[in-house]
Amino acid sequence: MKITLTVNDQVYIRDAAPSKNLLHFLREDVGLTGTKEGCGAGECGACTVIMNGKSVNACLVLAPEADGAVIRTVEGEALNGELSPVQHKFMEHHAVQCGFCTPGMLMSIRDLLGRVPKPSVHQIKEAIEGNFCRCTGYQQIIEAVLDVTGQLTKDNKGELRHV
Ligand code: FES
Ligand code: FES
């Protein structure tokens, strides 16, 4: 069937097999490969995208179910080649290592910051609890979110402190 998706403000009309999931549709039919496939079963969060304002695991959504949806993927984060403020803070805090989890992580954080402009550590942990990261230990990711929301400061020894 033909489906229409608005992805990162651009409209795509494509044929979608009834059994194709949104993750494969985005990667193979729309050509946006930033969204990653880890488990393919709703467990790892690597495929997280924003669909109609809410984060979803794209591997669990059938492409035909997404007909008419407004989607945001990691490719929509940087504007005119400039990293988003969250992406800058990820770089600054070494919250990206192998980077495989990063696209999904950024989408879960986008969802969180859309709802809670100054999230607590607990709220950040809750928001990314479905996003597995095997490299960073999560602390740098949490620090990046605290920093971009103005909740980190340096003490007189140069150590980062939560304000
Ligand atoms: Fe979708 Fe793992 S690939 S949750
Ligand atoms: Fe490697 Fe998160 S940076 S899995």
Side-chain angles (χ1 to χ4, degrees):
M1 69 177 278
K2 241 185 217 333
I3 69 167
T4 304
L5 286 186
T6 303
V7 186
N8 304 329
D9 304 321
Q10 199 169 326
V11 176
Y12 297 87
I13 302 170
R14 299 279 190 277
D15 281 318
S19 58
K20 188 166 233 181
N21 69 30
L22 178 61
L23 170 62
H24 292 164
F25 185 80
L26 288 169
R27 291 179 57 87
E28 295 161 12
D29 299 275
V30 176
L32 295 175
T33 56
T35 306
K36 303 300 181 216
E37 178 163 22
C39 63
E43 301 289 341
C44 72
C47 66
T48 307
V49 299
I50 307 287
M51 177 166 136
N52 297 333
K54 280 189 64 180
S55 61
V56 296
N57 290 327
C59 69
L60 294 183
V61 178
L62 289 174
E65 286 175 336
D67 187 24
V70 175
I71 310 274
R72 187 156 288 269
T73 69
V74 69
E75 287 89 348
E77 284 293 280
L79 277 186
N80 304 321
E82 178 62 23
L83 295 181
S84 71
V86 177
Q87 287 175 311
H88 272 295
K89 290 300 178 189
F90 262 55
M91 301 290 287
E92 207 177 305
H93 290 271
H94 308 290
V96 180
Q97 293 195 20
C98 81
F100 195 81
C101 70
T102 310
M105 200 67 85
L106 288 170
M107 291 300 102
S108 291
I109 292 164
R110 170 179 274 272
D111 181 25
L112 171 67
L113 298 183
R115 293 180 282 108
V116 189
K118 258 194 202 310
S120 64
V121 170
H122 178 71
Q123 287 170 315
I124 298 168
K125 285 182 179 173
E126 259 186 0
I128 61 172
E129 69 186 1
N131 295 86
F132 291 179
C133 177
R134 292 294 180 230
C135 308
T136 64
Y138 297 93
Q139 189 54 36
Q140 295 96 319
I141 294 168
I142 293 166
E143 277 179 11
V145 179
L146 289 173
D147 197 4
V148 79
T149 55
Q151 302 185 82
L152 275 193
T153 188
K154 280 194 178 155
D155 66 16
N156 50 16
K157 291 187 193 145
E159 301 285 327
L160 289 171
R161 294 270 176 261
H162 190 182
V163 293

